[in-house]
């Protein structure tokens, strides 16, 4: 039951919530604004929030100086590739666990989760050496493989929690209607699970896009995604605030938008269904 | 629905995932264990020799290890404290009715989607820089000496940056948990004469207990492996002031090419993470039965 | 087409034997109802016939062919589920077309069959809607439509009416009966509701704990229940069961008399009692009579309205011809 709240109280809460919300968001806002300033204005004192000469020159400069497009497409290929590959492996696995649970199902799920908790430094050296010896170092394929594997448990888990909500009856009906296993998965299960699969995809693209241990350690130049590219701004280019801001804005904008769309599903995905 | 046919299909369909993860876990991990017992440096390849527990002895008695342990501990604890307390307060606030709830929610959650290298760079250069940073400007504006955050309070600065990234996560989960609280329970407790503080302590906090535990455990897993923020802002310095365990292993293995020592450090990190993981798995496992 | 034979069919879940060896023949064109309390194994039995569960032992034959190992898709049976199990992402038309599409039937024939089903079941008004936009009764019709287009050897119904409200249930009951009249296809119908069983079945199979208690036509079961379980399960209100001296007089361990076979008089009769609660349905009146000196309260059903108040003294006389006698083991005595 929603209770009537006094307008005065509502106004106070509104003021407080907006102040905090804007404060938390401010670094992002500031970055975006700075990206439209000239370098001089970016470090001007006093800094101006909105009233400056808006320019898009930084965006052009970032691309022309650093082959930004390459890193951006690396990010897209690596995050999307690893997620799609992960889904391909995870959908059948989640089908098995959700609809044909056996004695071991729970143990397998827990064990999969436990692999996610393996700290990356525990396996960094062998992976690094194996990649060096097989030529996968600084390759997109290498990163797709690693990110698929580290996000696979999350994908399986998320799909599992979504599949669990689909009534078994409907799959059995398909079987009675003469559908073979593959038809059952393709024509019945997958379309019904589209919302779940979509949010799994979204969350994993976000996680892969922002992954910053393996991408930093396994790439040098040609396969470097945006995480690694931005890290190269550490110094001294980082002192060019406007260009740093432009590069940063481009790196975070797509994922910020995706993230806002998926925020409802985020909690469930990130807590493995422990909080809904 | 369990016929022999569907069961064997199920086994077939789950096997790629299981085999891949098994390979991912067992092969590199056993190599790491093996390396950790070798004297093995990439700068002098071909000179590997059995080292017994030497690597562990060196790693565990290295003063840098103690610093790294301490830093890891402070980093994890500091961020947890800020995000959990902040998350509860923010969750309570955002759970109230107010104008523009949806927009504020979006603003609050945004930092979670910012890649670690970007947030570290933005904070380092545009806010914490002692010359051109916004904080320096604000300090001068009120007549104070600008403070060089990353030189004089490096670990605290990193804690601040990481907290900014994780506060949205904690807030979102705690807010979701708060919203699932049965309103009638609160009304019943109000009828029973409980004031706002008692309602929080006796009704809301127990209800949040599970969500708080989940937040703590999941964040701990991620926070133990903080890497990019340190690499971009301080490179672990000054000295070892901001070197955590993950960064120490990175330095040892990929900067000093000491595979043996780095591996020993990696195994130590695995053991520490496992201790946390066991608690987390218990929590999630319980949920699985429900 | 549509003769189903179960030969020593057994089902075990782990150590629990849900269906002990069971023999049953379902004749072609028959409407067979499996009825029993929840947990009696009736749904499991249906799922064994469907092929959704493996039998632990025994053989299932469909039209003489061994189908024990045949996957459900290949058995040529259609099933209507309790939850209807419609595909929520497909329109009504696509739902009905799905089994035909799976069978690889050509478009023209698909269309002919769908149109026919739509006509028979009056689906035309909502054929392009999705299941989510339909009422319970409409969904039920679509589920039946999806089953009939395949022209299966037999229909399996798993408590199909239990999610409908009472009024709709009666209507759908009639429709399914009429459908059976028209199609003459074998139907196997599972329910826990004995009224459904009595009204629809050619043959009722009463199950308890996986055992068949009795097989027979509705009237056979009503007139000559083979044991106490069937006696008290079939008929509403339930048969009065009396043991003790009254039963001993008739050389039985227990006697049973249905509420409608007792006559009531304010002045004279065999058993004397006091009226408790009465339920007036208009067409009938049910009395619960206390203090008869017999084991429990006696339920009496009287046609029309009868003016008796709580506390009144009444005399009850059972119709001697219609007293059922059971021995110590609960079996019917001739």
């Amino acid at each position: 039951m929603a209770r009537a709240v006094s307008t005065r109280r509502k106004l106070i809460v509104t003021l407080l919530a907006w102040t905090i919300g804007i404060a938390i968001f401010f670094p992002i806002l500031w970055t975006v604004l700075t990206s439209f300033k000239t370098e001089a204005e970016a470090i001007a004192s006093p800094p101006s929030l909105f009233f400056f000469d808006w320019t898009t020159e930084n965006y052009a400069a970032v691309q022309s100086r650093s082959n930004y497009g390459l890193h951006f497409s690396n990010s897209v290929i690596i995050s999307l590739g690893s997620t799609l590959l992960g889904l391909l492996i995870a959908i059948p696995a989640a089908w098995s666990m959700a609809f044909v649970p056996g004695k071991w199902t729970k143990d397998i799920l827990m064990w999969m989760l436990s692999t996610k908790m393996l700290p990356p430094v525990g396996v960094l050296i062998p992976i690094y050496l194996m990649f060096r010896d097989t030529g996968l170092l600084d390759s997109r394929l290498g990163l797709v493989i690693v990110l698929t594997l580290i996000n696979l448990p999350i994908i399986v888990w998320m799909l599992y929690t979504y599949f669990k909500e689909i009534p078994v009856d409907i799959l059995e009906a398909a079987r009675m209607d003469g559908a073979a296993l593959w038809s059952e998965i393709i024509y019945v299960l997958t379309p019904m699970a589209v919302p779940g699969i979509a949010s799994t995809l979204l969350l994993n693209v976000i996680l892969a896009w922002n992954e910053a241990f393996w991408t930093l350690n396994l790439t040098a130049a040609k396969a470097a995604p945006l995480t690694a590219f931005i890290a190269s701004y550490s110094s001294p280019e980082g002192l060019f605030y406007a260009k740093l801001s432009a590069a940063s804005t481009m790196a975070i904008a797509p994922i910020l938008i995706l993230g806002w769309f998926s925020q409802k599903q985020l909690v469930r995905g990130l807590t493995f269904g422990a909080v809904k | 629905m369990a016929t022999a046919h569907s069961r064997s299909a199920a086994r077939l369909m789950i096997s790629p995932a299981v085999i891949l993860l098994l390979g991912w876990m067992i092969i590199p991990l056993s190599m790491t264990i093996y390396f950790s017992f070798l004297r093995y440096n990439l700068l002098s390849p071909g000179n590997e020799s059995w080292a017994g527990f030497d690597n562990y002895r060196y790693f565990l008695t290295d003063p840098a290890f103690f610093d790294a342990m301490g830093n890891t501990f402070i980093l994890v604890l500091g961020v947890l404290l800020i995000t959990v307390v902040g998350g509860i307060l923010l969750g309570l606030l955002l759970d109230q009715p107010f104008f523009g709830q949806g927009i504020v929610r979006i603003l609050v959650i945004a930092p979670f989607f910012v890649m670690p290298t970007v947030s570290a760079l933005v904070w380092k250069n545009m806010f914490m820089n002692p010359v051109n940073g916004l904080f320096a400007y604000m300090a001068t504006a009120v007549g104070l000496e600008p403070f060089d955050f990353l030189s004089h309070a490096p670990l605290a600065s990193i804690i601040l940056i990481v907290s900014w990234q994780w506060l949205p996560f904690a807030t979102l989960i705690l807010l979701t948990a708060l919203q699932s609280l049965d309103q009638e329970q609160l009304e019943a407790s109000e009828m029973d004469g409980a004031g706002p503080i008692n309602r929080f302590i006796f009704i809301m906090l127990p209800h949040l207990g599970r969500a708080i535990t989940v937040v703590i455990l999941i964040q701990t897993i991620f926070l133990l492996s903080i890497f990019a923020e340190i690499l971009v802002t301080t490179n672990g310095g000054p000295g070892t002031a901001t070197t955590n365990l993950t960064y120490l292993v990175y330095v040892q293995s990929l900067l000093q090419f000491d595979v043996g020592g780095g591996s020993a450090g990696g195994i130590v990190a695995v053991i520490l993470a496992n201790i946390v993981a066991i608690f987390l798995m218990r929590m999630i496992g319980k949920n699985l039965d429900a | 087409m549509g003769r189903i034979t179960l030969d020593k069919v057994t089902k075990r879940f782990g150590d629990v034997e849900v269906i002990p060896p069971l023999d049953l023949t379902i004749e072609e064109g028959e409407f067979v109802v499996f009825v029993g309390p929840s947990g009696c194994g009736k749904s499991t039995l249906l799922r064994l016939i469907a092929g959704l569960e493996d039998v632990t032992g025994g053989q299932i034959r469909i039209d003489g062919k061994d189908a024990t190992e045949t996957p459900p898709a290949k058995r040529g049976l259609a099933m209507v589920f309790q939850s209807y199990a419609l595909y929520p992402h497909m329109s009504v038309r696509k739902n009905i077309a799905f089994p035909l599409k799976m069978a690889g039937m050509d478009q023209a024939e698909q269309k002919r069959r769908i149109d026919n089903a739509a006509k028979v079941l009056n689906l035309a008004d909502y054929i392009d809607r999705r299941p989510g936009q339909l009422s319970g009764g409409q969904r039920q019709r679509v589920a039946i439509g999806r089953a009939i287009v395949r022209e299966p050897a037999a229909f399996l119904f798993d408590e199909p009416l239990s999610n409908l409200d009472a009024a709709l249930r009666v209507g759908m009951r009639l429709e399914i009966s009429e459908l059976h009249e028209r199609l003459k296809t074998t139907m196997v119908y599972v329910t826990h509701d004995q009224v459904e069983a009595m009204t629809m079945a050619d043959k009722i199979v009463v199950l308890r704990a996986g055992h068949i208690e009795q097989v027979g036509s509705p009237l056979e079961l009503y007139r000559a229940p083979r044991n106490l379980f069937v006696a008290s399960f079939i008929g509403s209100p339930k048969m009065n069961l009396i043991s003790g001296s009254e039963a001993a007089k008739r050389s039985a361990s227990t006697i049973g008399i249905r509420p409608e076979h007792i006559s009531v008089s304010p002045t004279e009769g065999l058993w004397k009692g006091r009226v408790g609660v009465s339920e007036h349905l208009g067409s009938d009146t049910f009395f619960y009579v206390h203090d008869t000196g017999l084991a429990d309260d006696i339920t009496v059903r009287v046609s029309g309205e009868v003016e008796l108040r709580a506390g009144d003294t009444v005399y009850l006389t059972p119709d001697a011809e219609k007293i059922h006698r059971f021995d110590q083991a609960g079996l019917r005595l001739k």
Side-chain angles (χ1 to χ4, degrees):
Chain A
M1 275 303 294
R3 245 189 309 182
V5 177
S6 73
T7 317
R8 204 175 84 96
R9 184 183 156 147
K10 197 166 170 180
L11 283 174
I12 294 171
V13 175
T14 304
L15 193 69
L16 197 61
W18 275 88
T19 310
I20 294 174
I22 292 172
I24 289 176
F25 187 70
F26 186 75
I28 298 171
L29 177 71
W30 188 245
T31 307
V32 175
L33 288 174
T34 306
S35 73
F36 291 106
K37 295 175 179 174
T38 60
E39 290 296 352
E41 269 170 324
I43 55 168
S45 180
S48 55
L49 195 56
F50 293 110
F51 305 104
F52 53 84
D53 293 322
W54 290 66
T55 171
T56 53
E57 65 180 24
N58 302 305
Y59 288 90
V62 168
Q63 168 56 20
S64 66
R65 283 190 197 177
S66 61
N67 204 358
Y68 180 88
L70 171 75
H71 303 298
F72 185 86
S73 61
N74 283 342
S75 270
V76 171
I77 290 169
I78 291 165
S79 55
L80 213 58
S82 65
T83 304
L84 291 177
L85 189 60
L87 280 174
L88 205 65
I89 302 166
I91 287 177
W95 174 89
S96 297
M97 292 193 279
F99 298 117
V100 196
K103 243 188 309 190
W104 301 102
T105 301
K106 197 183 148 181
D107 298 312
I108 292 177
L109 273 168
M110 296 312 288
W111 166 75
M112 283 190 173
L113 198 56
S114 73
T115 66
K116 179 73 196 155
M117 293 168 194
L118 187 69
V121 285
V123 292
L124 171 64
I125 295 165
I127 296 291
Y128 185 87
L129 295 177
M130 278 193 266
F131 272 35
R132 186 196 61 185
D133 297 341
T134 51
L136 285 172
L137 217 52
D138 199 20
S139 77
R140 291 170 187 166
L141 177 65
L143 277 186
V144 167
I145 293 172
V146 169
L147 293 190
T148 300
L149 287 168
I150 64 168
N151 282 337
L152 191 57
I154 295 188
I155 300 180
V156 172
W157 260 88
M158 282 186 78
L159 290 177
Y160 170 77
T161 62
Y162 286 112
F163 285 1
K164 283 284 272 191
E165 285 170 13
I166 292 174
V168 180
D169 274 7
I170 294 185
L171 300 186
E172 290 185 340
R175 226 165 292 162
M176 290 300 294
D177 283 344
L181 189 54
W182 283 114
S183 307
E184 178 186 323
I185 292 184
I186 293 168
Y187 294 114
V188 181
L189 175 65
T190 308
M192 283 183 71
V194 158
I197 293 175
S199 37
T200 308
L201 182 115
L202 227 47
L203 178 64
N204 278 280
V205 167
I206 294 170
L207 290 178
W209 186 277
N210 289 340
E211 204 287 326
F213 180 82
W214 293 107
T215 50
L216 289 175
N217 279 314
L218 296 181
T219 61
K222 78 180 181 345
L226 289 169
T227 42
F229 165 67
I230 298 287
S232 73
Y233 268 77
S234 182
S235 60
E237 296 95 323
L239 296 174
F240 295 103
Y241 287 2
K243 284 180 197 65
L244 166 67
S245 297
S248 299
T249 303
M250 285 193 282
I252 62 175
I255 233 57
L256 211 51
I257 293 163
L258 282 187
W260 283 334
F261 280 120
S262 69
Q263 53 158 328
K264 289 230 167 68
Q265 307 300 334
L266 207 68
V267 174
R268 186 165 154 165
L270 287 170
T271 60
F272 305 99
V275 176
K276 273 185 205 163
Chain B
M1 70 161 256
T3 59
H5 182 72
S6 62
R7 262 193 297 271
S8 62
R11 262 195 297 276
L12 192 71
M13 304 232 282
I14 202 173
S15 44
V18 170
I19 291 167
L20 283 171
L21 282 175
L22 204 63
W24 168 248
M25 189 150 121
I26 287 175
I27 299 169
L29 200 58
S30 43
M31 282 169 79
T32 306
I33 294 173
Y34 172 64
F35 290 156
S36 72
F37 292 106
L38 292 185
R39 235 179 299 281
Y40 182 5
N41 196 302
L42 290 180
L43 293 179
S44 51
N47 289 330
E48 294 90 55
S49 61
W50 187 252
F53 282 94
D54 280 359
N55 287 323
Y56 288 95
R57 195 153 49 240
Y58 289 135
F59 189 83
L60 293 174
T61 54
D62 183 354
F65 168 72
F66 290 103
D67 292 345
M69 280 296 287
N71 290 335
T72 308
F73 195 65
I74 295 169
L75 182 59
V76 171
L77 231 55
V79 175
L80 281 181
L81 196 70
I82 294 173
T83 53
V84 171
V85 174
I88 292 174
L89 294 176
L90 257 176
L92 285 172
L93 180 70
L94 299 183
D95 195 29
Q96 312 288 317
F98 64 92
F99 298 107
Q101 253 176 329
I103 302 173
V104 170
R105 218 179 121 114
I106 280 177
L107 294 180
V108 168
I109 194 165
F112 186 70
F113 301 120
V114 175
M115 56 177 62
T117 46
V118 166
S119 68
L121 269 182
V122 165
W123 278 98
K124 174 190 175 187
N125 291 323
M126 292 166 59
F127 287 87
M128 293 174 171
N129 185 296
V131 182
N132 293 321
L134 211 52
F135 288 158
Y137 167 76
M138 280 153 63
T140 353
V142 294
L144 291 172
E145 195 66 18
F147 185 73
D148 188 351
F149 288 87
L150 287 163
S151 316
H152 294 119
L155 194 55
S157 304
I158 289 180
I159 290 174
L160 176 69
I161 297 172
V162 177
S163 299
W164 178 74
Q165 289 179 288
W166 284 93
L167 181 61
F169 172 80
T171 305
L172 192 65
I173 284 171
L174 294 170
L175 179 61
T176 310
L178 269 177
Q179 284 168 341
S180 72
L181 176 59
D182 182 10
Q183 281 304 309
E184 285 186 2
Q185 249 188 58
L186 284 179
E187 287 174 357
S189 68
E190 215 178 328
M191 296 299 291
D192 291 342
I197 293 171
N198 280 329
R199 282 208 297 276
F200 176 73
I201 295 175
F202 294 108
I203 310 288
M204 291 180 165
L205 216 50
H207 177 78
L208 286 181
R210 171 198 190 79
I212 292 173
T213 321
V214 169
V215 167
I216 290 175
L217 293 171
I218 290 178
Q219 285 200 25
T220 305
I221 296 290
F222 281 96
L223 296 176
L224 282 174
S225 303
I226 288 287
F227 172 75
E229 290 83 345
I230 296 172
L231 177 78
V232 169
T233 52
T234 62
N235 274 314
T240 54
T242 54
T243 298
N244 68 352
L245 207 50
T246 301
Y247 198 80
L248 183 66
V249 176
Y250 159 79
V251 168
Q252 197 132 35
S253 40
L254 293 193
L255 298 185
Q256 297 170 2
F257 303 104
D258 177 6
V259 170
S263 296
I267 295 303
V268 172
V270 170
I271 292 167
L272 288 176
N274 271 333
I275 296 170
V276 182
I278 287 167
F279 287 102
L280 180 56
M281 308 278 281
R282 285 228 180 111
M283 284 285 305
I284 294 170
K286 256 186 219 147
N287 187 53
L288 210 57
D289 297 325
Chain C
M1 287 294 282
R3 187 171 197 266
I4 300 170
T5 315
L6 306 186
D7 190 0
K8 299 207 173 40
V9 165
T10 318
K11 179 64 185 176
R12 234 178 267 126
F13 287 121
D15 295 333
V16 187
E17 191 166 65
V18 190
I19 310 274
L22 178 147
D23 294 303
L24 180 71
T25 303
I26 295 164
E27 296 297 341
E28 189 181 330
E30 217 171 21
F31 197 124
V32 174
V33 175
F34 294 170
V35 70
S38 55
C40 70
K42 55 189 190 296
S43 281
T44 306
L45 196 55
L46 191 75
R47 290 167 63 80
L48 290 176
I49 296 173
L52 294 170
E53 301 277 354
D54 283 336
V55 298
T56 312
Q59 199 185 45
I60 295 173
R61 286 192 298 275
I62 299 172
D63 290 323
K65 279 199 293 281
D66 182 5
T68 317
E69 301 290 321
T70 314
K74 301 263 162 62
R75 293 193 182 191
L77 307 175
M79 183 152 163
V80 175
F81 289 80
Q82 183 173 10
S83 63
Y84 320 131
L86 299 180
Y87 310 122
H89 56 289
M90 299 181 194
S91 66
V92 168
R93 182 186 297 280
K94 291 213 168 113
N95 260 282
I96 296 175
F98 188 74
L100 306 179
K101 181 173 154 190
M102 288 298 111
M105 189 175 287
D106 71 73
Q107 291 290 329
E109 176 65 10
Q110 280 193 27
K111 190 174 169 352
R112 193 189 65 74
R113 290 199 185 192
I114 294 164
D115 289 345
N116 189 38
K119 204 168 73 206
V120 170
L121 293 160
N122 282 321
L123 304 174
D125 291 343
Y126 43 86
I127 191 109
D128 290 315
R129 287 200 217 151
R130 298 253 177 120
Q133 300 164 289
L134 305 182
S135 69
Q138 290 171 329
R139 287 182 207 188
Q140 182 66 78
R141 283 213 177 84
V142 177
I144 294 173
R146 191 173 65 186
I148 64 174
V149 284
R150 293 179 56 194
E151 300 177 0
F155 292 102
L156 311 178
F157 291 91
D158 188 5
E159 307 217 18
L161 304 184
S162 57
N163 285 338
L164 298 178
D165 63 52
L168 216 48
R169 200 145 52 201
V170 175
M172 281 312 296
R173 206 164 74 194
L174 260 172
E175 279 194 45
I176 294 176
S177 295
E178 280 169 10
L179 196 69
H180 181 240
E181 282 299 305
R182 185 160 39 206
L183 299 175
K184 308 253 187 271
T185 310
T186 311
M187 292 191 176
V188 184
Y189 189 106
V190 163
T191 181
H192 62 270
D193 179 355
Q194 58 93 21
V195 177
E196 275 176 32
M198 294 295 283
T199 51
M200 302 170 88
D202 294 327
K203 184 157 95 184
I204 296 179
V205 178
V206 183
L207 288 158
R208 180 171 60 161
H211 283 282
I212 295 182
E213 296 287 321
Q214 189 168 3
V215 179
S217 73
L219 284 183
E220 277 167 26
L221 264 57
Y222 178 80
R223 286 190 188 131
R226 217 174 65 188
N227 55 35
L228 279 174
F229 178 77
V230 178
S232 60
F233 195 79
I234 298 289
S236 173
K238 281 167 79 163
M239 181 188 281
N240 295 296
L241 295 173
I242 301 159
S243 47
S245 60
E246 225 21 74
K249 266 189 230 167
R250 291 168 179 84
S251 54
S253 169
T254 307
I255 56 166
I257 181 76
R258 296 198 183 276
E260 54 269 40
H261 297 149
I262 300 175
S263 55
V264 181
S265 156
T267 50
E268 54 179 348
L270 189 59
W271 301 325
K272 183 186 168 193
R274 193 168 47 76
V275 176
V277 176
S278 40
E279 295 170 345
H280 300 273
L281 303 180
S283 59
D284 298 299
T285 308
F286 300 157
F287 296 107
Y288 299 91
V289 180
H290 305 310
D291 304 330
T292 51
L294 309 165
D296 276 318
D297 286 0
I298 299 290
T299 312
V300 182
R301 174 183 193 162
V302 182
S303 244
E305 291 175 45
V306 176
E307 281 301 316
L308 279 174
R309 284 171 210 288
D312 287 358
T313 301
V314 284
Y315 293 88
L316 308 175
T317 311
D319 181 343
E321 303 248 299
K322 294 190 168 148
I323 290 177
H324 306 267
R325 300 183 309 129
F326 301 95
D327 67 12
Q328 228 149 8
L331 290 177
R332 181 179 190 81
L333 292 164
K334 294 280 171 199

